[in-house]
Amino acid sequence: MPPNPKQVVGARASDYVEDGMVVGLGTGSTATFAIRKLGERVRQGLNIRGIPTSEQSHAQARDEGIPLIDFSEITRIDLTIDGADEVDPAFNLTKGGGGALLREKIVASASQTEIIVVDETKLKDRLGAFPLPVEVTPFGWQIARGCLEDLGCRALLRTQEDAPFVTDNGNHILDCAFGRIDDPPALEAQIAAICGVVECGLFTGLAHRIIIGKADGTCEERTRPQPLS
Ligand code: 5RP
């Protein structure tokens, strides 16, 4: 049986991590494999410091023995490895399926290089089939939902065990079914302007490299073309 594509890309991405780096540690079933591989390398002598993007990746990294730091000790991150729910040809992403989008976006924004690890099912010609996660404050989230629906989606409050899902930051998530997103940067800006929205799962201009795992156990790497200056 071919190896799990998520495991293949997680391990491949960890090859980009070098001694001395500050490394952003993503969240989700694919990023988990990268953290596991980094743990192995740390136990073999690799010297890195990690910044987790969620309580889940924090716990895993701690169990793996990866030294952790926070933003009080650094100003930038050398490299981050994270997953995604959808990736379009321009390297726009939908993230937040696991509810960690706010910390993931803060870490991605502070990263010199953001590597996204996905299996090939995540590649889409256009974003939007996966409902866009939007993190909102618990106070007045219904108002934000109305504003989001005015942008052309159906927004559902994410729940867990019959209660509103609570993020690591104490907020809620609205999963916004747009169906198709024609202009991700424009929609990201519109959503950011809504009062009560903390952050949305559209990541535009943040991913530098995509590593794609195929069903046959191989992987393909794509680098974002540099904009013409
Ligand atoms: C969590 C995320 C994840 O990276 C995304 O949901 C992909 O997860 P997986 O690798 O399990 O498919 O954005 O907030």
Side-chain angles (χ1 to χ4, degrees):
M1 214 166 86
N4 179 348
K6 294 186 178 193
Q7 185 167 3
V8 171
V9 292
R12 172 67 190 129
S14 79
D15 292 341
Y16 286 92
V17 175
E18 295 172 6
D19 221 40
M21 279 185 167
V22 174
V23 182
L25 305 170
T27 298
S29 59
T30 319
T32 291
F33 286 111
I35 297 173
R36 187 190 293 177
K37 190 71 186 175
L38 287 174
E40 281 173 33
R41 291 187 59 200
V42 164
R43 291 190 291 280
Q44 290 161 0
L46 179 72
N47 171 31
I48 58 169
R49 292 171 297 162
I51 298 228
T53 55
S54 64
E55 296 300 326
Q56 183 192 324
S57 55
H58 186 286
Q60 187 196 354
R62 191 196 51 219
D63 292 348
E64 292 284 354
I66 300 172
L68 300 176
I69 49 168
D70 65 37
F71 283 103
S72 65
E73 299 173 77
I74 51 126
T75 51
R76 69 154 208 244
I77 296 168
D78 295 297
L79 176 81
T80 290
I81 303 170
D82 205 349
D85 300 300
E86 289 184 330
V87 180
D88 79 5
F91 284 32
N92 298 308
L93 316 172
T94 301
K95 285 184 53 53
L101 65 105
L102 174 58
R103 295 188 191 187
E104 289 173 330
K105 205 169 202 176
I106 293 170
V107 167
S109 304
S111 298
Q112 287 215 299
T113 302
E114 174 90 356
I115 298 181
I116 296 298
V117 284
V118 289
D119 64 58
E120 58 191 339
T121 65
K122 306 286 184 68
L123 298 185
K124 308 289 175 189
D125 289 336
R126 199 185 299 272
L127 303 183
F130 188 92
L132 176 66
V134 178
E135 185 157 345
V136 292
T137 56
F139 180 85
W141 64 267
Q142 296 89 342
I143 301 298
R145 179 179 61 185
C147 296
L148 286 163
E149 291 194 331
D150 286 346
L151 296 177
C153 69
R154 174 98 206 282
L156 278 185
L157 183 67
R158 190 180 296 185
T159 57
Q160 190 171 41
E161 291 167 6
D162 293 332
F165 175 84
V166 179
T167 69
D168 287 345
N169 318 293
N171 297 311
H172 295 332
I173 299 272
L174 291 169
D175 289 304
C176 299
F178 281 95
R180 60 181 269 172
I181 296 173
D182 290 323
D183 188 343
L187 183 61
E188 186 180 18
Q190 285 176 302
I191 292 174
I194 296 172
C195 196
V197 165
V198 180
E199 193 48 85
C200 88
L202 278 173
F203 284 43
T204 64
L206 291 175
H208 299 97
R209 179 176 288 264
I210 313 280
I211 307 183
I212 305 143
K214 308 283 180 70
D216 64 5
T218 62
C219 65
E220 178 195 335
E221 300 193 27
R222 297 184 192 169
T223 305
R224 189 177 75 202
Q226 297 302 311
L228 295 173
S229 54

